Amino acid sequence: MLLPTTPVTTFSANWQRINEPLLHASNVELWLYCPTTIEPMISGNKWLKLQYHIKEIQQQQYQGFVTFGGAFSNHLAASAAAAKLAGITATAYVRADVIDLANPTLKYCLQQGMVLIVTDRQTYRRRQDADFLKVITKRHPNCLIIPEGGSSVFGAKGIATLDLYHTPAGPADVIATATASGGTLAGLIMAENITTRPLTEIIGLAVINDNALPQHVNALLATELTVTVPWRIVKTAPEQRYAKCPKEHIDFCCQFTLQHGIAVEPVYTGRALYKLYQQIQSGEFAAGSRISFFHTGGLQGVAGLYYRKLINRRQYQILSGVRAG
Ligand SMILES: Cc1ncc(COP(=O)(O)O)c(C=O)c1O
């Protein structure tokens, strides 16, 4: 059974220019590219990273896939949704001590029919090791292995179908995105592998403190680039661990969401935008620069932040679009 094509067709229409005193004062234009799909769980970068995996599963006539993620992972929720739409099986190794049935992400995954396998931290760390993957392949014959975050060459190639270069106001000087497992950034770099374009800088705003991230990105790009595309990784908040949301990031997300009517969350997009604003403020981009920022979604995670009491009720209502009262 083929996935419905409708989600893909809506990807191109959602550009939004951000108007802020900071941007006017710095003479920097900021455009947000916001892909949406008919299934919110696969909006942002999610369906893009999954689409070629699903195609491969269909072509190879696998029964489904096995993947990996944390207990509140956007990738797990998206994979579960995509598998259900495609009519294939989904199994996930979840970094957790138990499957907490009240965790909104895992609850959703189970509702979609995903099989969840509790995986302790030590075992989970081996998720990219060749010998561990051999065991997984044996355990789940007839399944494609999708790496954590969907960050394989298939995932990057799906992202590379996007055009973040041509904003409605003209070509971008800078393309920026939140980055974690590296597939999204690699895909945006692949998309700029075009000789006829002036070189646009691509910035991955790293939401995790993983010194191996540049290696992961380079590995995905290894055989794909014919043009030298300038890219760099900038750490967003090196003193803050992944998914530990400081107050200033949460406040920023609430204010941004209320002001622009575009919800952003503090683990990925909001954390990345916060850093981008700091860069703009410190004059890192030349006057007249046009920045194209990829809104990668991730809003399913807001319920999990509230569940873990990392945001309060009011913040939850703002970020999830729930009306107060
Ligand atoms: C909302 C959101 N934004 C950005 C990213 C980072 O993408 P990547 O893991 O491909 O670097 C993720 C993780 O997939 C995510 O869930």
Side-chain angles (χ1 to χ4, degrees), residues 45-46 49 74-75 148-149 151 177-185 207 213 265 268-269 296-299:
N45 61 352
K46 300 294 167 244
K49 282 203 282 185
N74 296 323
H75 166 68
E148 182 183 59
S151 285
T177 185
T179 180
S181 58
T184 303
L185 177 59
V207 301
L213 181 54
E265 46 64 58
Y268 293 96
T269 50
T296 44
L299 293 166

Side-chain angles (χ1 to χ4, degrees), residues 47-89:
W47 167 244
L48 292 155
K49 282 203 282 185
L50 287 169
Q51 60 182 337
Y52 287 123
H53 291 107
I54 305 274
K55 245 188 203 164
E56 175 72 2
I57 290 164
Q58 290 165 337
Q59 274 167 9
Q60 301 298 329
Q61 301 195 339
Y62 292 134
Q63 71 179 49
F65 62 81
V66 179
T67 194
F68 307 87
F72 295 90
S73 160
N74 296 323
H75 166 68
L76 288 194
S79 303
K84 181 147 191 216
L85 278 172
I88 57 177
T89 65

Side-chain angles (χ1 to χ4, degrees), residues 107-161:
K107 193 166 146 187
Y108 174 81
C109 290
L110 288 169
Q111 281 165 352
Q112 306 315 300
M114 187 177 238
V115 175
L116 304 179
I117 300 174
V118 177
T119 312
D120 63 73
R121 283 181 179 269
Q122 207 178 342
T123 311
Y124 192 86
R125 255 181 237 125
R126 300 183 57 213
R127 65 196 176 280
Q128 286 162 345
D129 297 355
D131 56 342
F132 181 66
L133 292 175
K134 253 189 210 162
V135 175
I136 300 282
T137 308
K138 252 197 189 157
R139 218 181 268 166
H140 306 276
N142 207 21
C143 283
L144 181 72
I145 295 180
I146 302 183
E148 182 183 59
S151 285
S152 65
V153 172
F154 285 132
K157 284 189 172 172
I159 298 285
T161 59

Side-chain angles (χ1 to χ4, degrees), residues 8-314:
V8 192
T9 60
T10 60
F11 278 164
S12 58
N14 296 292
W15 281 104
Q16 194 145 335
R17 185 169 175 181
I18 303 301
N19 287 308
E20 291 268 5
L22 165 67
L23 298 168
H24 292 296
S26 318
N27 192 15
V28 167
E29 242 180 67
L30 176 61
W31 286 87
L32 253 58
Y33 185 74
C34 312
T36 52
T37 62
I38 50 164
E39 167 50 66
M41 288 293 179
I42 52 170
S43 68
N45 61 352
K46 300 294 167 244
W47 167 244
L48 292 155
K49 282 203 282 185
L50 287 169
Q51 60 182 337
Y52 287 123
H53 291 107
I54 305 274
K55 245 188 203 164
E56 175 72 2
I57 290 164
Q58 290 165 337
Q59 274 167 9
Q60 301 298 329
Q61 301 195 339
Y62 292 134
Q63 71 179 49
F65 62 81
V66 179
T67 194
F68 307 87
F72 295 90
S73 160
N74 296 323
H75 166 68
L76 288 194
S79 303
K84 181 147 191 216
L85 278 172
I88 57 177
T89 65
T91 302
Y93 283 76
V94 185
R95 188 184 53 225
D97 300 325
V98 286
I99 297 298
D100 172 5
L101 298 177
N103 166 331
T105 301
L106 297 183
K107 193 166 146 187
Y108 174 81
C109 290
L110 288 169
Q111 281 165 352
Q112 306 315 300
M114 187 177 238
V115 175
L116 304 179
I117 300 174
V118 177
T119 312
D120 63 73
R121 283 181 179 269
Q122 207 178 342
T123 311
Y124 192 86
R125 255 181 237 125
R126 300 183 57 213
R127 65 196 176 280
Q128 286 162 345
D129 297 355
D131 56 342
F132 181 66
L133 292 175
K134 253 189 210 162
V135 175
I136 300 282
T137 308
K138 252 197 189 157
R139 218 181 268 166
H140 306 276
N142 207 21
C143 283
L144 181 72
I145 295 180
I146 302 183
E148 182 183 59
S151 285
S152 65
V153 172
F154 285 132
K157 284 189 172 172
I159 298 285
T161 59
L162 287 182
D163 179 2
L164 264 86
Y165 175 73
H166 292 101
T167 77
D173 302 294
V174 175
I175 294 174
T177 185
T179 180
S181 58
T184 303
L185 177 59
L188 294 181
I189 298 166
M190 279 180 200
E192 293 310 301
N193 184 35
I194 296 173
T195 42
T196 50
R197 270 184 196 172
L199 294 179
T200 296
E201 185 183 36
I202 304 177
I203 300 179
L205 297 149
V207 301
I208 53 165
N209 295 318
D210 177 2
N211 291 330
L213 181 54
Q215 273 160 261
H216 294 319
V217 176
N218 274 318
L220 294 173
L221 295 173
T223 54
E224 305 296 327
L225 290 193
T226 50
V227 174
T228 308
V229 182
W231 63 274
R232 63 188 162 114
I233 290 174
V234 172
K235 289 188 177 176
T236 49
E239 69 290 353
Q240 296 291 343
R241 284 181 51 211
Y242 165 75
K244 295 285 176 254
C245 307
K247 184 180 177 313
E248 62 268 25
H249 288 177
I250 297 168
D251 290 346
F252 173 85
C253 288
C254 290
Q255 201 190 325
F256 189 96
T257 301
L258 289 171
Q259 196 174 334
H260 303 293
I262 305 170
V264 293
E265 46 64 58
V267 179
Y268 293 96
T269 50
R271 179 166 170 154
L273 275 170
Y274 183 87
K275 178 67 185 179
L276 190 66
Y277 272 36
Q278 285 182 329
Q279 291 179 293
I280 294 169
Q281 198 150 28
S282 64
E284 212 173 290
F285 303 108
S289 295
R290 181 176 296 126
I291 303 176
S292 165
F293 180 87
F294 183 16
H295 189 320
T296 44
L299 293 166
Q300 77 80 31
V302 170
L305 295 175
Y306 183 52
Y307 175 68
R308 283 173 285 169
K309 298 190 169 53
L310 293 171
I311 56 176
N312 64 33
R313 187 170 167 77
R314 166 96 183 117

